Every structure is written in C-alpha cells, then in structure tokens.
Amino acid sequence: MAEPLFYVDRSEILDGRIEEVRDGMHDLVAFVAEREPQLIAYHVYLDESVSTMSVVAVHPDSASMERHLELGGPKFRAFASLIRMRSIDVYGQPSPPVVDRLRQKAEYLGGASVTLHALQAGFSRLDRP
C-alpha cells in the first residue's frame, strides 16, 4: 500500500487582502473538491488574528499530490498578490517531481521553505468509514 502524504503550508495574509483571500479559498476548495476525488482531506484555516492562512491536505500517495499541483497551479498563482507563503511541510515520501513542483510553488508564492519529514513510526486508519 502506498504511503499517504500529509501537507501543511502557512502563509502571511498581506494587509488589506483578507476578503480576497477568503473568496479565493472558497473558490480553490470548490475547484479541488470537484476535480480531485482521490484527495482524502483538503482544509484551509485562518488563525485567530486572521493574519495567517494554513492549508492542510491528506493525499493517499505521491501521484495524488502530483495531480493536485498540476491541476491547481493556476489557482495557486492567483494568491501571489494576496499572501506571502512562509513554509511548506510534507510528511511522508513525495516523488522527486513533486518535490520540484513544491519548491517552484514556494518560490512564486513568496520564497517559502520546503521541509520534508520522513516517517519513522506510526499507522493510518484512512480506510475506515
């Protein structure tokens, strides 16, 4: 069985852009929900001060994340004038093409760091109803 990938990114919302970010979040989530049935979870969060946006996604495998990055590229670029991405963390083992795309995404959305975290121990019960 392929190892799931857990993705978390954090971005600073630029001053005066929160309403555009909120509209963009809803549009992006609807786009992903419609086109990526393989995705296990996709959530966008705002912190209490409404200054930081976090995206959390659970992919069943690296191919899912690669598809997401391919389909979502134009949608992600729409956020370039609204946010400054601070970090991308991926838990699991993405393919080299996925890592390359993540680094490209991080660069055009603000120069964020990309950190990969290798699984050491654990389990997932992703097939439960």
Side-chain angles (χ1 to χ4, degrees), residues 63-89:
S64 171
M65 187 176 284
E66 188 166 359
R67 176 177 166 79
H68 175 70
L69 292 167
E70 180 180 317
L71 290 175
K75 294 286 188 182
F76 305 146
R77 282 182 179 82
F79 282 88
S81 65
L82 308 175
I83 64 168
R84 178 170 159 70
M85 186 170 279
R86 297 292 186 192
S87 64
I88 295 175
D89 288 277

